[in-house]
Amino acid sequence: MSPCLSETPEARVLERAVLESRVREMEEENRQIRLQLSQLQGTAGQPADGGNYGNCSASLFSAQLIHVACVCAGHNASRDVVTLVKSILFHRKNPLHFHFITDAVANQILSSLFQSWMVPSVQVSFYDADELKSEVSWIPNKHYSGIYGLMKLTLTKALPSDLTKVIVLDTDITFATDIAELWAIFRKFTDKQVIGLVENQSDWYLGNLWKNHKPWPALGRGFNTGVILLYLERLRRIGWEQMWRLTAERELMSMLSTSLADQDIFNAFIKQNPVLVHQLPCFWNVQLSDHTRSEQCYTEVSDLKVIHWNSPKKLRVKNKHVEFFRNLYLTFLEYDGNLLRRELFGCPKWGGGQSLEELDEDDQCYDFRRERITVHRVHLYFLQYEYTPTGDDTDVTLVAQLSMDRLQMLEAICKHWEGPISLALYMSDAEAQQFLRYAQASEVLKNRKNVGYHIVYKEGQFYPVNLVRNVALRNANTPYVFLADVDFLPMYGLYDYLRKSVVQLDMANTKKALVVPAFETLRYRLSFPKSKAELLSMLDMGTLYTFRYHVWTKGHAPTNYAKWRTATTPYKVEWEADFEPYVVVKRDCPEYDQRFVGFGWNKVSHIMELDAQEYDLMVLPNAFMIHMPHAPSFDISKFRSSPGYRYCLQTLKEEFHQDLSRKYGAAALKYLTAQRNI
């Protein structure tokens, strides 16, 4: 047992540091009050990457800003942290500031998510984990979290120097109460305490789990670091960075590596300095693992505050209340995140661009115009994604969008197209979890890492088809994109053929849109043609048709299928009204016009803008794609049954023509002429 800290010279230095820190804390509290007051008066700047909490009602003045830090790296942890954040937002009443220490992947995912989520009274800051790796990379670590499991040791350095205290959370945490209750425990710290932790609920640090089990030193059962209250200002004053390093260096001489990452080092430090720890009630970190004493932590499940899925088995752990815990977790996993945009403290909803107040509610097409300014939450790279660029700058990404009712197409597309794919999926939170389970159970999808799945969360009355397309387009990582629809299967070998065509037609130095002729089958089972000759034979037999031949010939007639039958070289076609081919273009092509939602004119408008920008439409003689049959969408049914829907679509078309004329001048006059002739 180490001597009592108060009897050592180090303790006297510590006590002096604590007294000095108390003065600094009082100054910081006054600064925070002044900052909140200025924000209430609308004089503070906008917080980065999140909602703001300026211009709110005076009740915010009494609501303290709570700081929360997480280390998050990779695609899976990014999904986990969203569920954690939902559980916090659901219960909270205070403004929040999230601090994320991330790798490049998590930074991209979470920054996009929070920008589009626009939760009131939430600020978000990101810190580059790569800049911190050198601080901990020297520590051998056996834990599955790898180097990121050691990052919490660096928070005094990583976080802003004027940040006084912070709640630190693992990503596998679920809150069952208001996080402000946890924040309030800081007030219970003694002058010497700098870290708040819950006792470890397994026997790990007792060293009796198996023969020759030798854990790192710990005070009694040790402490779990899934939930930490860090008094940053005090930690800096006592020289935390040097102290944990010395502790780690000393213990590694005999232990050789950590088994539980940062937790081992925190516990060894506390063993030497027990006066520094404030033990939290165990219900603030109920640790669910097969070998924990978590059931002794509570009498009723309603007593719980925080659930921690800290077993590698996660939801499959043994506990007599595991079904209750699992259901609580699933509630937030599938909870509609749009509901968390609700106003707090009378704050106005924050957004950019045109506001609802500028729209005329008496406008017959109000609902359509409202859709155009709706901001949808976007979760990029929902699943693991890996892409290695080709060295020849000819690579092509298949770009498409889909909803839940087209999910069955994914495996078939992956079998037909071996190149990279960027898919935007329009789904609710619950549907996104269904998709996740589907993808994880599919051998085909599990083996494809070059498919980027981007979730656009449902909101509003219409399918925002062009907005969803744009999400997929923006997140393609290749010089060229094949703009397709998910209910088409590309011919076998199309990926390689398109890459060769990019070179053959000198697309790097010209403005071309390569047209891939579209066909369809009315049969649910199709022996897919392996060549152009086989496809022509099936056309002649009536097994296949040119796309929309029976219902909308104008959409693809300019492709000139009669010429395509015998063509051996690419040929140019001219734009005609309502032409909507599927094309290969440079990735920096114009985006889709987002005023078009639901059914009608969404692709047509895009081809018009390509033509206005003087793209040459070149039909590829040996390329084809086939549309597979499916039930009609809800939006096409609305179009067919609602005169109001058709009226508004016509109104939007006319406004689009006018905008196109203003943007492109004389080059767009033919579109107005074509419109008058329809």
Side-chain angles (χ1 to χ4, degrees):
M1 180 70 70
S2 60
C4 178
L5 197 68
S6 61
E7 298 174 0
T8 64
E10 291 86 352
R12 289 190 288 275
V13 173
L14 173 62
E15 289 170 354
R16 186 168 59 251
V18 168
L19 289 173
E20 292 173 356
S21 74
R22 288 291 289 169
V23 175
R24 292 176 179 270
E25 287 163 24
M26 293 173 66
E27 292 174 348
E28 169 60 16
E29 288 172 3
N30 288 332
R31 190 188 70 83
Q32 289 279 1
I33 291 171
R34 289 194 300 272
L35 175 62
Q36 290 184 13
L37 181 59
S38 68
Q39 289 166 334
L40 286 169
Q41 296 169 339
T43 59
Q46 297 291 330
D49 304 326
N52 79 349
Y53 51 91
N55 303 316
C56 297
S57 68
S59 58
L60 175 57
F61 182 65
S62 60
Q64 190 173 12
L65 178 64
I66 295 173
H67 293 270
V68 181
C70 285
V71 177
C72 183
H75 301 84
N76 295 341
S78 298
R79 282 200 312 273
D80 292 340
V81 84
V82 174
T83 307
L84 162 63
V85 168
K86 281 184 185 178
S87 72
I88 294 173
L89 293 176
F90 180 83
H91 297 287
R92 63 95 180 224
K93 298 182 182 68
N94 290 57
L96 298 171
H97 191 153
F98 289 100
H99 302 263
F100 292 112
I101 292 83
T102 61
D103 64 351
V105 169
N107 188 318
Q108 181 184 13
I109 294 170
L110 295 178
S111 60
S112 170
L113 177 67
F114 277 97
Q115 284 171 3
S116 59
W117 200 345
M118 298 196 312
V119 184
S121 306
V122 169
Q123 300 177 65
V124 184
S125 299
F126 295 92
Y127 310 87
D128 188 355
D130 286 343
E131 295 181 0
L132 300 168
K133 284 182 177 178
S134 61
E135 302 290 321
V136 293
S137 58
W138 56 274
I139 304 172
N141 177 29
K142 293 180 180 177
H143 194 258
Y144 60 81
S145 59
I147 193 169
Y148 298 100
L150 297 162
M151 290 284 179
K152 283 183 280 189
L153 295 165
T154 72
L155 290 180
T156 53
K157 182 173 184 177
L159 298 180
S161 58
D162 61 349
L163 184 57
T164 302
K165 45 189 181 283
V166 67
I167 297 172
V168 186
L169 303 172
D170 282 355
T171 58
D172 52 0
I173 293 287
T174 306
F175 268 77
T177 194
D178 190 343
I179 196 171
E181 296 178 34
L182 180 58
W183 184 262
I185 295 177
F186 274 117
R187 295 199 296 267
K188 298 181 180 180
F189 278 34
T190 68
D191 288 347
K192 295 179 180 178
Q193 290 171 340
V194 296
I195 303 174
L197 292 164
V198 170
E199 184 181 54
N200 200 47
Q201 291 162 16
S202 79
D203 289 345
W204 178 270
Y205 287 109
L206 298 181
N208 58 10
L209 292 182
W210 59 81
K211 188 177 180 180
N212 298 325
H213 174 217
K214 184 184 177 185
W216 275 55
L219 194 66
R221 304 187 69 84
F223 295 90
N224 183 277
T225 56
V227 177
I228 316 176
L229 298 185
L230 280 188
Y231 224 126
L232 295 172
E233 202 279 339
R234 294 183 184 180
L235 283 166
R236 294 187 184 103
R237 294 295 297 170
I238 66 172
W240 163 251
E241 291 178 32
Q242 182 181 14
M243 293 176 78
W244 75 255
R245 284 175 177 274
L246 291 173
T247 299
E249 289 170 356
R250 180 180 66 246
E251 299 302 333
L252 283 170
M253 294 176 66
S254 58
M255 297 303 299
L256 304 182
S257 69
T258 62
S259 296
L260 301 182
D262 66 83
Q263 184 167 297
D264 285 337
I265 297 173
F266 271 105
N267 273 288
F269 171 78
I270 291 168
K271 178 70 179 289
Q272 293 296 313
N273 305 284
V275 73
L276 299 181
V277 68
H278 179 93
Q279 184 167 335
L280 303 175
C282 64
F283 49 66
W284 283 112
N285 185 355
V286 178
Q287 301 146 39
L288 295 180
S289 187
D290 288 346
H291 303 290
T292 63
R293 301 161 66 246
S294 57
E295 293 176 16
Q296 300 177 29
C297 181
Y298 54 90
T299 305
E300 301 290 338
V301 289
S302 58
D303 298 335
L304 298 178
K305 304 289 189 181
V306 171
I307 299 167
H308 185 188
W309 303 92
N310 63 324
S311 166
K313 293 164 64 175
K314 299 303 178 189
L315 303 189
R316 302 188 305 278
V317 296
K318 296 176 183 177
N319 181 290
K320 66 182 180 182
H321 296 120
V322 71
E323 283 302 317
F324 174 85
F325 299 140
R326 187 182 292 118
N327 289 335
L328 180 65
Y329 171 79
L330 293 176
T331 295
F332 293 115
L333 187 72
E334 300 185 355
Y335 187 81
D336 182 355
N338 295 330
L339 299 177
L340 297 167
R341 288 170 163 174
R342 66 183 185 269
E343 296 177 5
L344 292 179
F345 327 114
C347 299
K349 185 173 181 179
W350 177 77
Q354 190 177 15
S355 68
L356 286 176
E357 289 74 17
E358 296 175 48
L359 299 181
D360 180 6
E361 291 190 30
D362 295 326
D363 182 352
Q364 186 175 342
C365 302
Y366 172 82
D367 289 338
F368 285 82
R369 301 191 192 285
R370 176 172 179 155
E371 291 295 322
R372 190 178 183 185
I373 63 173
T374 297
V375 179
H376 292 262
R377 279 180 300 136
V378 177
H379 187 135
L380 302 178
Y381 300 105
F382 196 67
L383 299 181
Q384 192 76 25
Y385 175 77
E386 298 170 9
Y387 171 70
T388 303
T390 58
D392 55 7
D393 291 328
T394 65
D395 211 357
V396 182
T397 295
L398 188 154
V399 172
Q401 53 77 32
L402 68 150
S403 53
M404 201 68 183
D405 58 345
R406 301 290 189 267
L407 209 55
Q408 74 281 357
M409 290 296 299
L410 294 185
E411 289 188 345
I413 287 177
C414 285
K415 291 176 181 177
H416 280 248
W417 178 273
E418 61 269 33
I421 303 175
S422 181
L423 295 173
L425 300 88
Y426 189 59
M427 294 179 169
S428 67
D429 293 72
E431 287 173 337
Q433 296 307 315
Q434 288 179 261
F435 160 68
L436 176 61
R437 292 190 290 272
Y438 170 81
Q440 290 175 336
S442 166
E443 291 300 322
V444 174
L445 301 187
K446 279 196 301 186
N447 291 328
R448 286 292 295 271
K449 300 300 184 186
N450 63 345
V451 181
Y453 299 98
H454 314 295
I455 305 295
V456 180
Y457 286 102
K458 284 184 177 179
E459 184 169 7
Q461 301 181 45
F462 300 99
Y463 191 122
V465 58
N466 278 358
L467 179 149
V468 181
R469 283 194 175 109
N470 285 338
V471 170
L473 174 58
R474 290 171 196 146
N475 291 284
N477 295 307
T478 56
Y480 303 95
V481 288
F482 173 29
L483 304 177
D485 274 339
V486 78
D487 41 15
F488 280 85
L489 290 182
M491 73 177 199
Y492 292 110
L494 181 60
Y495 171 61
D496 289 333
Y497 177 63
L498 293 182
R499 292 182 63 188
K500 293 174 183 175
S501 299
V502 161
V503 177
Q504 178 188 354
L505 292 167
D506 191 25
M507 287 189 67
N509 301 305
T510 57
K511 293 181 77 171
K512 290 188 176 74
L514 310 186
V515 176
V516 177
F519 301 85
E520 70 177 333
T521 178
L522 304 181
R523 303 182 180 187
Y524 280 93
R525 293 191 178 184
L526 176 71
S527 177
F528 201 90
K530 296 180 175 59
S531 65
K532 178 177 178 177
E534 191 174 333
L535 178 136
L536 291 174
S537 176
M538 295 172 75
L539 274 175
D540 294 337
M541 291 188 297
T543 308
L544 292 176
Y545 303 90
T546 56
F547 185 53
R548 290 292 183 258
Y549 169 77
H550 300 89
V551 295
W552 187 246
T553 308
K554 297 170 65 174
H556 292 265
T559 300
N560 195 345
Y561 289 98
K563 182 172 183 176
W564 183 82
R565 292 181 70 101
T566 57
T568 56
T569 58
Y571 58 92
K572 183 179 178 181
V573 295
E574 297 298 326
W575 173 88
E576 295 179 25
D578 296 318
F579 191 26
E580 52 177 1
Y582 295 95
V583 297
V584 178
V585 288
K586 289 180 181 177
R587 184 183 57 189
D588 62 356
C589 70
E591 291 192 348
Y592 290 85
D593 193 293
Q594 293 181 187
R595 83 185 76 198
F596 296 106
V597 296
F599 175 80
W601 248 63
N602 42 74
K603 291 192 299 292
V604 171
S605 59
H606 189 243
I607 297 300
M608 286 179 66
E609 185 147 11
L610 290 179
D611 185 66
Q613 290 196 7
E614 300 182 332
Y615 278 73
D616 289 333
L617 297 169
M618 305 294 297
V619 180
L620 297 174
N622 294 306
F624 61 85
M625 58 197 297
I626 300 177
H627 180 265
M628 306 305 290
H630 56 75
S633 68
F634 180 63
D635 287 300
I636 196 172
S637 300
K638 283 197 293 188
F639 171 81
R640 290 170 176 168
S641 63
S642 170
Y645 193 113
R646 295 192 295 274
Y647 166 79
C648 287
L649 178 59
Q650 181 62 32
T651 301
L652 295 176
K653 287 165 60 175
E654 292 170 2
E655 292 174 0
F656 173 76
H657 280 130
Q658 293 166 6
D659 290 345
L660 211 61
S661 297
R662 282 191 288 268
K663 190 173 182 179
Y664 297 105
L669 290 178
K670 63 180 178 180
Y671 308 123
L672 289 171
T673 304
Q675 175 67 14
R676 294 191 190 102
N677 294 333
I678 293 176

